[in-house]
Structures are given as C-alpha cells and as structure tokens.
Amino acid sequence: MDAFMFFLLCLMVFTIFNWKRITGFCSKYQTHIKAYLLWFLLGGLGIHAFYCNKTNWGLFTLLTYVLGLCFLLFDGGVMLCLHCLNVLTQAFLIPSWIKQDNEKGMG
C-alpha cells in the first residue's frame, strides 16, 4: 500500500509540474495556485522553488532540510528553525518569481 501511495504522489507532482505542457495553457492564477499548493504540501523540500525555475533556492531549501534533520540532536533544532524561516520567506517571494519567469518567457 505504501508503494502505491508513493506512486500516486509522484504522479500528482509530475502532473502539476507538466500541466502547462500537457494542456498547452496555463493562466497567471493557475500558476500562482499551483506554486502555493506545492509550497503548502511539499515546501519543506523546495519543490515550489523548482516549479518556479529557481533551482538554487530549491537546492538551498533541500539542503537546509537535510542538514536540519542531521543536526537535530546536536544543535537543538536551530537549523530546522532556520529552514522554516527560509520556507516562510519563500512564500512571499513566489509572486515575484512567477512574474520574472513570465517576463523571461515573453522576452
């Protein structure tokens, strides 16, 4: 059952990432909704940053998550607190990321 749920989650993420290619259409609001949905569901892993074509932010978020889990016993969760602050900050950056991506696509 766990493998099936993992498969469904991967299928859902793949569909969300490739929606624009599958349908050929993606409005401004759909892009914002998908980015915030990814931020809410998988924000700790930086999936929303990868969706917004911000690979460096996504890798940084993933790295802080992994390091936070590794150092949880040693630093008392300070790294995880910094990770949470990073993810919350990114929630406010998503609209500007999408705007930059749209401007780059049109130019």
Side-chain angles (χ1 to χ4, degrees):
M1 186 66 174
D2 290 332
F4 181 71
M5 294 301 288
F6 179 73
F7 173 75
L8 287 179
L9 178 66
C10 290
L11 184 64
M12 180 186 74
V13 169
F14 175 79
T15 304
I16 290 172
F17 270 94
N18 294 301
W19 185 256
K20 193 174 188 178
R21 287 186 212 153
I22 292 170
T23 62
F25 173 75
C26 192
S27 74
K28 179 176 96 170
Y29 299 110
Q30 287 175 335
T31 306
H32 280 78
I33 290 170
K34 287 189 285 187
Y36 277 109
L37 185 64
L38 287 171
W39 175 82
F40 184 73
L41 296 175
L42 302 168
L45 300 175
I47 302 297
H48 61 285
F50 290 114
Y51 177 75
C52 295
N53 293 326
K54 297 295 180 184
T55 308
N56 292 338
W57 276 98
L59 291 174
F60 178 71
T61 304
L62 190 60
L63 181 68
T64 57
Y65 177 72
V66 170
L67 288 177
L69 289 180
C70 291
F71 297 138
L72 182 62
L73 297 176
F74 299 113
D75 67 358
V78 173
M79 191 68 166
L80 280 179
C81 289
L82 291 174
H83 170 71
C84 291
L85 184 64
N86 174 33
V87 173
L88 288 174
T89 303
Q90 289 177 12
F92 295 103
L93 294 174
I94 287 175
S96 65
W97 289 350
I98 293 172
K99 183 179 178 185
Q100 288 174 357
D101 193 38
N102 289 339
E103 288 173 355
K104 192 186 320 177
M106 289 183 166

